[in-house]
Amino acid sequence: MKITVVGTGYVGLVTGACFSEVGHEVLCVDNNEQKVAMLNRLEMPIYEDGLEAMVRKNVEEGRLRFTSCIKEGTEFSEVIFVAVGTPPGRSGEANLSYVEQVGREVAEHMTSYHLLVEKSTVPVNTSEQLKRTMTKYLRADIDFDVASNPEFLREGRAIPDALNPSRVVVGVESKRALLLLQEVYKPIMERSGCRLLEMDIASAELTKHASNSFLAMKISYINAVSRICELTGANVEKVAEGMGLDPRIGPEFLRAGVGYGGSCFPKDVDAFVHISERLGYSFDLLKDVQKVNREQREHVFSKIKKELWVVENKRIAILGIAFKPGTDDYREAPALYFVNELAEHGATLRLWDPIAAPHFKKEFPQHTYCEDLMECVQDADLVLVMTEWPEIKALDIQALKKAMKSPVMIDGRNVFDPEVLREAGFIYHSVGRL
Ligand code: UGA
């Protein structure tokens, strides 16, 4: 089957690559010519395990191509996936101008039936606007459909998630659109055994915001519980384990820490709060999810201040920049907050991250970056753990203690065992564990 994917960001590029991997012929369109040139040279704009090899293979076998021409994309296939960015606008609402632009441009170039599929995360009822826009820009009376097919892949595990999804949600309002999407997903459903859930478009759009917000709520919930643990001497990991064994709760997304970051949860929870507000419902529960997430950072920061007394001129080693392991993405990463706060308090910062450091350094060149973990912690007054990279977990504790000026660690991801660290002579603070 021929498929066009517009937008070569995380979702678009992975979706395009995976569709070609399962046998479809895919044309990826992006209006950023530099990015298209990069992709045509087989250089990946993002780091994702296995992506480069998959793109290379499918390009070489002739199933995957890149172009900056939307007209070509429109002519290539009757099914067009829209995977362009929906960044937060000034007030937190999703900025839909890129989605609108694709709708407009596709409509202008259409000469026969097309199905436009929303893959980007969009607020509920976006399809209504998209349909209105397309109708206005069509050059003739041509039939078309809009559908919603939200993506649930995680960064760092994007390819396995896309090839083995937990579910495929499709929001459609015509049999023709449903049949086309069933054909698109047939090879993925056959190999993964997952279900294709058919529903109306608004429900599909809502499923995405509701899922991400629920996961963010689970994290904020356990972080709130971690505060009670700290006040009572309970251990949040034990509590999470005790809760998670109930199949109605489940063990995942109950890891307490410094809070969630990334390009999805902060933006999507915010957008969901805003769209709810606009529809006339104040989603206070989600506002509290955001509040807990904000306060969690502040709370961990207060531990640093309490421990150091004076932050100014202290040498602090920050281990981990990415918002989670397995990615070089630091958008909305907790580390950003700490780098800014600590720098403002006059600390000297040394940072380590196996893949996010080079990009981060471009934005914050004033700090010291180390490729070697032990070099990073050398003479540090305090070590701050921000991402649970395996290299950090594997640190030799005695060597770490020896290298530091004073053995103080604030562990924002509960990477280490408090008892082991204290026995080794560290002053150690983590989250929800005494
Ligand atoms: C998230 C969702 O998990 C995906 O299902 C969704 O498709 C994606 O957003 C999206 O909308 O595109 P992602 O942002 O890649 O995926 O990252 P997650 O693995 O969900 O982690 C998000 C943040 O929560 C990270 O900062 C992580 O450290 C934090 N987290 C996660 C916790 O603090 N505790 C946990 O128990 C789990």
Side-chain angles (χ1 to χ4, degrees):
M1 199 178 179
K2 282 186 167 183
I3 300 171
T4 295
V5 179
V6 185
T8 57
Y10 236 103
V11 170
L13 185 54
V14 171
T15 303
C18 288
F19 280 161
S20 67
E21 177 71 12
V22 298
H24 296 308
E25 218 181 299
V26 180
L27 180 61
C28 288
V29 184
D30 201 299
N31 62 6
N32 182 337
E33 287 178 15
Q34 254 179 316
K35 208 169 174 191
V36 171
M38 243 180 109
L39 285 162
N40 279 325
R41 291 194 302 269
L42 298 174
E43 289 168 24
M44 297 302 106
I46 50 164
Y47 174 83
E48 187 64 42
D49 200 21
L51 184 64
E52 190 185 331
M54 184 182 278
V55 168
R56 179 181 298 277
K57 175 181 159 221
N58 287 290
V59 166
E60 282 170 4
E61 291 175 6
R63 281 188 304 272
L64 181 60
R65 283 196 299 120
F66 302 96
T67 179
S68 55
C69 178
I70 189 81
K71 182 168 181 281
E72 191 187 344
T74 310
E75 285 163 0
F76 181 76
S77 164
E78 63 177 348
V79 185
I80 300 182
F81 281 82
V82 184
V84 293
T86 52
R90 233 171 288 142
S91 61
E93 266 174 297
N95 172 354
L96 298 173
S97 60
Y98 303 110
V99 174
E100 190 255 6
Q101 189 182 342
V102 177
R104 219 172 346 111
E105 291 179 351
V106 166
E108 280 170 354
H109 295 300
M110 263 168 56
T111 52
S112 60
Y113 172 86
H114 274 73
L115 166 63
L116 205 66
V117 189
E118 299 167 352
K119 194 69 166 159
S120 311
T121 301
V122 292
V124 61
N125 288 340
T126 296
S127 69
E128 293 302 324
Q129 299 286 7
L130 204 50
K131 278 189 283 183
R132 252 168 30 97
T133 297
M134 290 183 71
T135 308
K136 272 194 286 184
Y137 286 88
L138 278 176
R139 297 250 161 92
D141 185 17
I142 303 164
D143 194 18
F144 71 91
D145 272 308
V146 169
S148 163
N149 169 224
E151 182 51 62
F152 301 104
L153 58 81
R154 289 162 290 182
E155 289 188 19
R157 301 178 58 168
I159 290 176
D161 278 355
L163 292 177
N164 291 292
S166 49
R167 74 286 203 198
V168 172
V169 170
V170 297
V172 286
E173 51 189 11
S174 84
K175 188 82 191 155
R176 189 171 187 179
L178 176 64
L179 288 173
L180 280 168
L181 284 167
Q182 279 172 337
E183 202 183 333
V184 168
Y185 278 103
K186 197 167 167 236
I188 289 180
M189 277 151 54
E190 275 173 2
R191 55 192 280 167
S192 66
C194 87
R195 274 180 65 196
L196 185 139
L197 275 178
E198 179 208 342
M199 56 183 81
D200 59 279
I201 301 179
S203 301
E205 290 170 334
L206 204 54
T207 301
K208 174 67 188 183
H209 268 157
S211 298
N212 271 7
S213 298
F214 187 84
L215 292 170
M217 182 181 75
K218 260 187 118 173
I219 299 169
S220 277
Y221 184 82
I222 201 65
N223 280 337
V225 170
S226 80
R227 300 292 292 274
I228 307 296
C229 290
E230 288 180 12
L231 294 169
T232 54
N235 181 330
V236 74
E237 284 180 345
K238 294 288 169 210
V239 178
E241 196 182 353
M243 289 168 62
L245 285 172
D246 183 333
R248 292 170 302 174
I249 298 174
E252 288 193 70
F253 280 70
L254 287 182
R255 267 182 295 111
V258 74
Y260 60 79
S263 65
C264 303
F265 286 174
K267 164 175 88 80
D268 291 353
V269 176
D270 219 17
F272 202 19
V273 165
H274 275 88
I275 186 78
S276 306
E277 206 85 56
R278 188 136 58 79
L279 292 166
Y281 177 69
S282 177
F283 213 144
D284 295 340
L285 180 62
L286 287 185
K287 290 180 194 167
D288 275 338
V289 166
Q290 295 178 303
K291 182 167 171 268
V292 170
N293 201 52
R294 263 194 319 271
E295 286 176 354
Q296 198 65 2
R297 294 169 186 196
E298 292 160 10
H299 176 61
V300 173
F301 190 74
S302 74
K303 294 184 191 214
I304 300 176
K305 280 207 347 211
K306 213 160 145 191
E307 200 47 66
L308 288 181
W309 182 28
V310 173
V311 177
E312 200 178 347
N313 292 328
K314 292 283 160 46
R315 185 160 167 158
I316 297 180
I318 300 184
L319 308 188
I321 298 170
F323 81 100
K324 66 172 185 179
T327 176
D328 62 352
D329 199 342
Y330 60 84
R331 283 175 287 178
E332 302 289 327
L336 270 171
Y337 167 85
F338 285 87
V339 166
N340 287 328
E341 283 295 311
L342 288 168
E344 224 166 81
H345 279 74
T348 305
L349 302 184
R350 293 167 75 81
L351 293 98
W352 174 91
D353 189 290
I355 48 177
H359 311 295
F360 197 79
K361 188 178 175 181
K362 279 187 203 145
E363 204 176 324
F364 300 93
Q366 64 274 40
H367 306 302
T368 305
Y369 295 82
C370 307
E371 278 182 29
D372 183 68
L373 259 176
M374 291 312 290
E375 187 198 331
C376 183
V377 300
Q378 196 63 45
D379 292 328
D381 295 286
L382 183 144
V383 159
L384 175 64
V385 178
M386 283 286 103
T387 318
E388 60 277 36
W389 285 104
E391 293 91 329
I392 301 173
K393 278 189 193 171
L395 265 175
D396 175 343
I397 298 303
Q398 283 307 332
L400 174 66
K401 189 181 165 208
K402 244 173 125 182
M404 294 178 70
K405 206 183 285 171
S406 88
V408 181
M409 184 189 285
I410 307 287
D411 183 353
R413 295 292 185 181
N414 287 356
V415 168
F416 294 100
D417 181 336
E419 241 174 75
V420 173
L421 271 258
R422 284 194 196 116
E423 257 168 39
F426 272 82
I427 295 171
Y428 176 79
H429 300 285
S430 55
V431 176
R433 310 178 304 176
L434 290 183

